[in-house]
Amino acid sequence: VQLVESGGGSVQEGGSLTLSCTPSGHIDSSYCMGWFRQVPGKEREAVASIYARGGGTPIYADSVKGRFTISGDNTKNQWYLQMNSLKPEDTALYYCAANTRCVAPMEDTSYDYWGQGTQVTVS
């Protein structure tokens, strides 16, 4: 299974971006999809997670609550991270990932498949 992110770029503070993630290959529908980010020299940070089948409550890091929205369509096999009111501290390499057991959804070690990342720069 490969995950491909897109939608990163450069934006001014206060602006918005929407990241997309497209898995290729089969992932059992009970998985969770997560978004993480990493700045060079720092540990990877969980941003948000959502249960692929829907019906659950998305989880967000405190730093992005109220500004970011995770969503997706399992039938279309595409996932999104809508980012509003962006701040310079949101600058990072953003990754999408799939957690096939949907346990510990905000722990990166629980995730089985990862994308290559897409850069987001806020100035």
Side-chain angles (χ1 to χ4, degrees):
V1 176
Q2 292 184 330
L3 306 179
V4 179
E5 304 98 336
S6 61
S10 296
V11 64
Q12 290 188 337
E13 185 174 4
S16 299
L17 283 173
T18 299
L19 306 183
S20 300
C21 176
T22 304
S24 63
H26 175 71
I27 306 177
D28 182 80
S29 60
S30 62
Y31 71 99
C32 285
M33 178 64 72
W35 287 95
F36 291 78
R37 64 187 182 187
Q38 189 168 24
V39 175
K42 294 189 176 181
E43 291 187 356
R44 189 158 50 193
E45 174 190 22
V47 175
S49 180
I50 190 169
Y51 186 48
R53 282 183 173 175
T57 301
I59 304 171
Y60 297 96
D62 289 342
S63 58
V64 306
K65 279 181 182 177
R67 300 188 298 122
F68 289 14
T69 302
I70 186 172
S71 64
D73 188 335
N74 193 32
T75 61
K76 296 182 179 179
N77 212 30
Q78 195 152 24
W79 304 94
Y80 307 97
L81 183 68
Q82 172 68 41
M83 305 185 293
N84 298 325
S85 302
L86 282 162
K87 305 175 181 180
E89 51 264 43
D90 295 317
T91 295
L93 188 63
Y94 283 72
Y95 299 90
C96 69
N99 178 343
T100 57
R101 294 154 294 167
C102 206
V103 295
M106 297 298 271
E107 297 291 334
D108 61 351
T109 53
S110 298
Y111 284 75
D112 305 286
Y113 302 106
W114 291 85
Q116 294 298 308
T118 185
Q119 178 67 37
V120 172
T121 302
V122 184
S123 60

